[in-house]
Structure formats: structure tokens, C-alpha cells
Amino acid sequence: MLSAHGQTSVQWVTRSQIDFIAQYIKNHVKLTTNFALCHGMRSGRETEWFRAAIPTQQVWGTELSPIAAKTAPWTFPADFHEQRPEWVRAADFVYSNALDHSYNATLAV
């Protein structure tokens, strides 16, 4: 895993935690667009795990660091505070384990 500067970083969220969240989503969220977002994905693992747990969803990750985003699968560089018009009301769900890094969490989701 890479930090913002291409250094090793720690993975705090486990696959079993993502599987648990994914199961909740499948049971309680109406999945209609087949599109979901994972903000602040650094290594891209959460994105991969959501894709595996909910195969009907095209889950894409965002990462502030262009270096980390380049190495993470299904992830592209973006600031989750900047609204993208094509995403407004487009995602079935938005996940982030990085809201504690946000200066305004409402903008992030």
C-alpha cells in the first residue's frame, strides 16, 4: 500500500468489515444505478472488496493523492470535497473511511 508520497501505509479497514457493510447495503439499499463511490481509497482495497461483495455494482474509488490513485485499481485522483455534476444523485451508495480527514464532511458525501 502507498501513502500520499508513495510510501508504505497501514490498511485500517478489513475485508470482513467491508463484507459486513456490503451485506447491509444489499439488504437495505435499493440498488438501481449500479454505480457506487468509495472516497479516500488510498490503496484501492475497499473498492475491490465492494466490487467482489456486490458484483452488480460498478464501484469506483477516489483518492486525493495522484500517486496513490495511479497505483490503486478502480481509483482515480479527486478531492471528495469537489462536487462532480455527473455524480449528483447518481450513486446507489457512497462509502468513505476518510471522513475524519475532511474539513467539511457534508461536501465529501
Side-chain angles (χ1 to χ4, degrees), residues 79-95:
D79 182 343
F80 62 25
H81 296 99
E82 296 175 7
Q83 188 179 70
R84 296 177 68 118
E86 65 272 24
W87 289 351
V88 175
R89 295 184 185 89
D92 286 327
F93 68 90
V94 177
Y95 166 85

Side-chain angles (χ1 to χ4, degrees), residues 6 10 18 20 22 29 31 34 38 40 53 55 57 73-74 77-78 81-83 85-86 90 95 97 99 104 107 109:
V10 177
I18 296 299
F20 178 84
V29 176
L31 302 175
N34 299 326
C38 291
Q57 291 294 111
W74 309 107
H81 296 99
E82 296 175 7
Q83 188 179 70
E86 65 272 24
Y95 166 85
N97 187 41
L99 292 180
N104 184 333
L107 288 176
V109 294

Side-chain angles (χ1 to χ4, degrees), residues 3-60:
S3 71
H5 304 290
Q7 301 162 340
T8 302
S9 64
V10 177
Q11 178 75 32
W12 295 105
V13 176
T14 65
R15 184 169 191 154
S16 64
Q17 291 168 323
I18 296 299
D19 288 342
F20 178 84
I21 295 167
Q23 189 60 49
Y24 178 89
I25 290 168
K26 288 190 284 189
N27 291 338
H28 299 285
V29 176
K30 187 175 182 181
L31 302 175
T32 59
T33 66
N34 299 326
F35 171 68
L37 290 167
C38 291
H39 286 315
M41 290 302 97
R42 188 67 65 189
S43 71
R45 286 188 176 158
E46 291 103 319
T47 305
E48 287 184 316
W49 294 339
F50 271 115
R51 282 177 167 257
I54 313 173
T56 59
Q57 291 294 111
Q58 290 292 315
V59 183
W60 288 89

